[in-house]
Amino acid sequence: MYDKVIEGVLNKDRRMVARAISLIENNDNGRTKILSEIYPHTGNAYVIGITGAPGAGKSSLVDCLLSTLRQQGLSVGVIAVDPTSPFTGGAILGDRIRMQEHALDKEVFIRSMGTRGSLGGLSRATKEAVQVLDAAGKDVIIIETVGVGQSEVDIIKYADTTIVVLTPAGGDSVQTIKAGIMEIADIFIVNKSDLPGADRTASEISMMLDLGGSLREWRPSIVRTITLDGSGITDMHKAIFEHRDFLENSGHLQKVRKERIRRDIIDLIEYRIKSTVWEQISGSEEFDLLTNQIMSRETDPYTAAAQILTGINLDKCKV
Ligand SMILES: Nc1nc2c(ncn2[C@@H]2O[C@H](COP(=O)(O)OP(=O)(O)OP(=O)(O)O)[C@@H](O)[C@H]2O)c(=O)[nH]1
Ligand SMILES: [Mg+2]
């Protein structure tokens, strides 16, 4: 069965792409096989991350971007990560309506992913879904995620170009947005620029960049957009490709991708060790006993950890 899925992905069969992502998401037994066999066919897609507060207009911007990318003849995959939704395996209603026109386009694949699965599973599954779309020949992959938790910031680390969407609303949006998210932006979008305060928001971002005295060679672009009438969308598109050119010409793209591979290997090793250890200690009497001994101060967690480790068989995680 897995061979059929793998072949389907490589042949750009949409149903099989969807199937592969579901299997990965559910941590199916075939997950590793699928991912390792498609891996040689990955590395060609350009990944764009788009993040920002709930309702900032991310999906609307993705929809506009889909149009410009399609006009360029590029095939596109979209993964909308919805950390608030336990549902998965299909588009969220709002996004479905917003991107409806593109959903019928065979060169566009839209998928939303919820929080089903374990902690940290969200970023893992999203990262792996990117690999599936990459192997299926998508030229560009867009990850939309609400900029709230650490897990979402982690996902964005897998993007080549990261777009942070802000809105003029409130006036102090720039101050309240999480520092971690500000730092990962390659492009700032001030969406809903039809609302008052857009200029102020844009200049606040600019000031913040000046104050930051950033050592980064790339100064993030600031683009004002109105998705309602498409204003600024061409500029956003241009900014993305300028950033891509910068990454390619400066050698940063290679560097960043290499760093990402190293992190992937470490993540995989950690994951295997953790689950092997967990399998062996959960429900073990020794674990229970030591916990009680720590409670009564007969021993301490440091000694206990060392003692447990001596009994752990790590051979199991090497296969
Ligand atoms: N005035 C105005 N409203 C906009 C603009 N762009 C989007 N909106 C509206 O903002 C609301 C949220 O848009 P979405 O594109 O769903 O925003 P989002 O960031 O994807 O939202 P979540 O995925 O729920 O976090 C919708 O009602 C849009 O119609 C804009 O440029 N101007
Ligand atoms: Mg959205």
Side-chain angles (χ1 to χ4, degrees):
M1 171 188 86
Y2 299 127
D3 288 325
K4 214 180 121 201
V5 174
I6 293 162
E7 200 190 309
V9 168
L10 300 180
N11 285 329
K12 309 177 183 188
D13 177 337
R14 292 162 66 87
R15 263 186 50 234
M16 288 302 153
V17 169
R19 180 114 186 79
I21 295 176
S22 297
L23 290 169
I24 284 164
E25 212 175 9
N26 297 334
N27 211 0
D28 184 272
N29 287 335
R31 178 182 146 249
T32 308
K33 179 182 164 73
I34 295 171
L35 289 167
S36 60
E37 288 192 26
I38 63 169
Y39 199 81
H41 306 273
T42 61
N44 303 311
Y46 194 77
V47 184
I48 300 169
I50 181 160
T51 190
K58 299 176 293 299
S59 299
S60 310
L61 286 161
V62 170
D63 189 41
C64 295
L65 194 55
L66 272 170
S67 304
T68 58
L69 292 169
R70 290 297 297 127
Q71 276 164 23
Q72 241 184 313
L74 298 170
S75 64
V76 192
V78 179
I79 300 168
V81 180
D82 186 356
T84 58
S85 165
F87 304 110
T88 185
I92 318 160
L93 191 63
D95 290 324
R96 191 154 50 199
I97 292 166
R98 219 146 279 140
M99 300 178 201
Q100 201 169 39
E101 171 200 339
H102 297 289
L104 300 171
D105 181 342
K106 267 171 58 191
E107 294 298 322
V108 174
F109 185 94
I110 301 169
R111 168 76 172 225
S112 74
M113 300 182 92
T115 47
R116 189 161 62 182
S118 58
L119 208 70
L122 181 65
S123 53
R124 178 188 60 72
T126 307
K127 188 172 84 187
E128 292 170 354
V130 168
Q131 285 173 18
V132 172
L133 293 173
D134 189 350
K138 293 287 168 247
D139 299 308
V140 176
I141 298 165
I142 306 173
I143 309 172
E144 174 190 334
T145 174
V146 179
V148 280
Q150 185 57 43
S151 156
E152 290 71 53
V153 176
D154 284 347
I155 294 165
I156 291 297
K157 283 187 191 148
Y158 280 83
D160 298 312
T161 295
T162 297
I163 302 175
V164 170
V165 185
L166 301 170
T167 55
D172 58 355
S173 52
V174 178
Q175 277 81 3
T176 53
I177 194 150
K178 277 178 51 181
I181 285 181
M182 281 319 243
E183 283 150 19
I184 57 172
D186 300 307
I187 297 169
F188 286 99
I189 298 289
V190 181
N191 188 41
K192 306 196 186 182
S193 283
D194 49 312
L195 303 178
D199 287 341
R200 199 181 121 197
T201 304
S203 52
E204 274 175 8
I205 299 167
S206 183
M207 261 162 54
M208 185 203 69
L209 292 174
D210 292 339
L211 282 174
S214 174
L215 295 170
R216 290 168 66 186
E217 286 169 52
W218 170 260
R219 184 184 164 96
S221 344
I222 305 167
V223 181
R224 267 160 279 191
T225 57
I226 305 170
T227 66
L228 308 177
D229 65 4
S231 307
I233 299 303
T234 316
D235 293 334
M236 171 170 77
H237 186 99
K238 221 176 98 197
I240 293 168
F241 283 87
E242 274 170 11
H243 182 243
R244 179 195 170 138
D245 287 346
F246 159 78
L247 288 180
E248 277 180 354
N249 299 335
S250 62
H252 275 67
L253 193 60
Q254 283 297 99
K255 228 169 82 186
V256 170
R257 289 188 168 178
K258 192 170 165 185
E259 193 46 51
R260 228 175 264 161
I261 290 172
R262 294 168 78 91
R263 200 166 56 215
D264 277 346
I265 300 173
I266 291 170
D267 280 353
L268 286 169
I269 294 173
E270 272 182 5
Y271 179 78
R272 281 187 175 215
I273 292 179
K274 259 190 200 163
S275 37
T276 306
V277 168
W278 189 240
E279 255 169 43
Q280 290 179 43
I281 68 169
S282 64
S284 96
E285 275 176 29
E286 187 195 20
F287 188 42
D288 238 19
L289 189 72
L290 284 168
T291 308
N292 288 329
Q293 287 177 351
I294 295 168
M295 288 284 283
S296 59
R297 299 298 187 271
E298 282 166 71
T299 187
D300 60 90
Y302 310 93
T303 310
Q307 186 182 323
I308 290 173
L309 264 174
T310 57
I312 298 272
N313 177 5
L314 283 179
D315 287 345
K316 274 181 79 183
C317 68
K318 293 179 189 159
V319 284

